[in-house]
Structures are given as structure tokens and as C-alpha cells.
Amino acid sequence: MTDLGTRTEPALRRAAPALLGYAAVRALGLLTLALWSAARDKNAYTLLTARWDALWYTRVAELGYGYEVRLPNGDVHSNLAFFPLLPWLERLLHATTPLSFADAGFVVALLASLAAAWGVFAVTEHVYGSRAGVCAVLLWAVLPVGIVQSMAYSESLFTALAAWSLYAVLTGRWVTAGLLASLAGLTRPVGLAVVAAVWVTGIAAFLRDRRDRDLSGSPRAGSVVRNRDAAGEHPARGPVRRVLGMALAPLGAAAYVLWVGHRTGKGPLGYLDVQAGWRNGFDGGYAFARFVADKFTSFPSALAGAGLIVGVGLVVWLYVVGVRQGQPLPLLVYSGVVTALALCASSYFGSKPRLLMPAFPLLLPLALALARARTRRSAVIVALIATASALYGAFWLNGSGPP
């Protein structure tokens, strides 16, 4: 425990500016939401904890699985679509504290959002330095859909687990990476992105080991090993830990999907049937492309269609810039899979910005640019975007549709 504290305290001190900045941005968003909601005779806390997906999670926490809603068109919305880690944590807090299930979800979201911010900082600091780390956290906080980070949703919890799993991969802690990836797989279906990052990076490491063995007789062998050490790879931990981490990574998602298949009596593909009941699936982006194209049937909606095209173009551009800047392989794999799953899902088009929120490596090119600017200029930019984000978040949550 003493050794853990010795390692954690300096890391927390380095992350403190990022966490304080993150807390300030989130406080601004919550205050704006409270004022906006009060002006519309709505309860801000209810918007954060007892609407849309938050209701489904708290119902799972309170009553377990088995609840479903049959719509007039024949669709069946089953709570089996919601992965169990967040409801488990809500149930645990409810059982050990006076908190209601909804209150527990809000507390989990707040704590998880701080853990996520710290994870984003840790990953970015490891790759690009502490100044870029602070900027990455602030950019993640001021996303237009950043208010979701304070909702009783699973995005903050998932991002925390994903970020720290990626950090463990980058620093050669394979067993930790696998355990966190497994927990991410119990949080959201997109946990597959974390598993992919662990597996692809692990396979690449094995290939690099083989190359190094082939070069062991050459004069350059010593420099190869030193370069690996400098990159954060820890060969002394051995391939056994790497294999163990890779084996652990998919267990969470696999366990839940297989359990759903058993419960529904439809085998390993039962979870896909559950998602189909929500009109959700993976069609390569066809439905989303058609949704965007339909926006151009009239002038007012054409502006929204153009905005969607620009947004998708920006996401793709940021990914390409990340590749050109030499982002580490696990970050590229993770953000690539998250982006593909978000953009190529066949339903819930209005939720795509929220589904993209965990793909924080996409923000690293912008974080680098912000880190290179003068401090005063960066502060003004972040303050302006934070204000706009707070206003948009309040407007968004006071609307009729789910985020």
C-alpha cells in the first residue's frame, strides 16, 4: 500500500491542474443547466438522473433484468440491451448508503467522470507531455455533449475504464489492461474497442519480439531493446503477462453476451436480437447516410444535413491527423473502432455525438495545437467553448428527445 501511495501521489499532483479545470467546466455546465431548467419549470436533477437511459439503468439496478416495453409497431425494447456494470454499482451504493438508485447513478457518474478525466490526462501526458494532457482533458470536458459526463449514463464509467486500460497498455501493464478492458466490456457494447486495442497491440508486440530475436545476432540488437524500453514496453514482464492480459480482455463482454443468449434461448446471437428490437444494428453506415441525405429535401433541414457532413468530415480528419502525428497503435485502434461503431450503427442518429464521446484520442491533435499556443490565448478559447457547451447542453437536455 505504501508503494502504491508513493506512485499515486505524484501522479495525482501532476494531474491536479487538469482535474481542477475539468471540475470547473462541469460545474459551469451544471449551473447553466439548473438555471435554464428553472426558467422552464423543469427539474435539472431529474433530467440528469431520471430520464431516458438513466431510467433503464436504475430499473435494472432495482428490479434486475427481464423488463421490456412492447411498442405499437411491434418493436420490443428489452432492458437486456443495457450492460450490467453501471446498474451493479448503483445497487452497491444503494445497499451501502442512504442513496436512492437514481442518486447512486449520479454519484457513480460524477466519480467516474473524474476518473475518466484523470485517465485522459495520464494517456496524453505519457505520449505528448503534461501541458497537452491538461488541454486534452479540457477539450474532452467542453465537448458539445459534455453534459452527458454528469448524467447517470454509462459513458463516463466506460471512458474511465477505457482510458486507464489504454494507459496500462502503453506502459506495459498487460494484466491490468486486460482486467480494465474486461470491465469496459461489461459497461457498453463498444467495449469491443478496448479489447481490440489490447489484442492488436499485443499481437504487434509479439511480432516485434520475433523481429528482435531475429536481430539478436546483429550489432543493432542492443539499440532495439533500448528503444523498446524508452517506448514504455517492459520486456521484463514477459510474454506470459501479455497473453494473460489478452485472455482477460474479452471476458466481460463475452460473459454478458453469452448470458443474454442463454436467457433469451437464442444462443450466442441472442444479444443481436435484443438490439434489433431497439432497431439498432451495424449496417456499415448505410442508414446514417440515408438519414443525412433525407435532410436535403428542404432548405431548413438542408442546413442540418450540411452540418452533419461537416461533423463527420471533422471526425475523419482528426483521425487522419492522429495517424500522421504518429499516435500509438492502441489509441488509433481504440478510437477507430469507437468511431466506426458510432457512425455505422443503424439507429439513434441524434445520439451519435454522445456515442463518439469516449473516442478521446480524436481530440489529441487539437490538444497539441492548444498546448503550443500561448497560455492566455488557450484559456480564452477554452472559456468561450466551455460557455457555448454549457448553453448547448442545457438546451439539449431540456428538449424532447434523448441525448
Side-chain angles (χ1 to χ4, degrees), residues 91-399:
R91 184 179 299 175
L92 176 64
L93 269 182
H94 173 73
T96 56
T97 69
L99 296 174
S100 69
F101 290 105
D103 295 339
F106 183 64
V107 171
V108 170
L110 290 184
L111 295 177
S113 68
L114 288 171
W118 191 0
V120 171
F121 173 82
V123 168
T124 311
E125 181 200 34
H126 180 78
V127 179
Y128 295 119
S130 59
R131 186 177 174 88
V134 172
C135 293
V137 170
L138 293 176
L139 287 174
W140 189 66
V142 302
L143 287 173
V145 294
I147 190 65
V148 174
Q149 297 162 16
S150 300
M151 296 180 69
Y153 274 36
S154 60
E155 272 75 12
S156 289
L157 179 60
F158 174 78
T159 305
L161 294 167
W164 284 108
S165 179
L166 293 171
Y167 179 75
V169 171
L170 291 170
T171 55
R173 296 173 173 87
W174 289 98
V175 175
T176 300
L179 287 170
L180 292 172
S182 186
L183 291 174
L186 282 171
T187 308
R188 295 187 62 79
V190 76
L192 292 174
V194 191
V195 177
V198 173
W199 270 74
V200 172
T201 309
I203 292 170
F206 280 116
L207 294 176
R208 187 166 56 243
D209 287 347
R210 182 176 179 180
R211 182 197 64 192
D212 290 351
R213 286 196 299 270
D214 293 340
L215 292 173
S216 59
S218 72
R220 296 183 59 194
S223 63
V224 171
V225 173
R226 283 194 298 272
N227 287 339
R228 285 181 59 193
D229 290 339
E233 191 81 6
H234 293 278
R237 299 180 186 273
V240 174
R241 286 180 175 271
R242 193 183 305 152
V243 170
L244 181 56
M246 294 172 67
L248 289 170
L251 293 185
Y256 183 69
V257 168
L258 291 174
W259 179 80
V260 170
H262 173 74
R263 184 180 176 97
T264 59
K266 296 182 179 179
L269 301 182
Y271 184 77
L272 297 181
D273 288 339
V274 171
Q275 286 282 20
W278 288 78
R279 295 290 180 98
N280 200 15
F282 187 89
D283 64 359
Y286 171 76
F288 183 47
R290 189 174 60 183
F291 172 78
V292 174
D294 288 344
K295 294 292 183 182
F296 290 92
T297 56
S298 63
F299 174 72
S301 63
L303 296 177
L308 288 170
I309 292 174
V310 171
V312 172
L314 176 62
V315 168
V316 174
W317 176 76
L318 287 173
Y319 186 81
V320 171
V321 172
V323 173
R324 291 178 176 174
Q325 290 180 342
Q327 274 188 26
L329 180 61
L331 302 188
L332 292 174
V333 172
Y334 168 74
S335 60
V337 175
V338 172
T339 301
L341 291 175
L343 296 182
C344 296
S346 59
S347 189
Y348 298 98
F349 307 115
S351 297
K352 290 192 182 297
R354 170 173 66 87
L355 300 179
L356 283 167
M357 191 176 66
F360 68 89
L362 293 175
L363 299 173
L364 298 191
L366 299 177
L368 279 174
L370 198 62
R372 291 166 182 158
R374 293 184 177 181
T375 302
R376 180 177 297 179
R377 178 178 297 178
S378 298
V380 170
I381 292 173
V382 170
L384 291 175
I385 299 176
T387 302
S389 174
L391 292 170
Y392 179 75
F395 167 77
W396 193 37
L397 286 196
N398 277 275

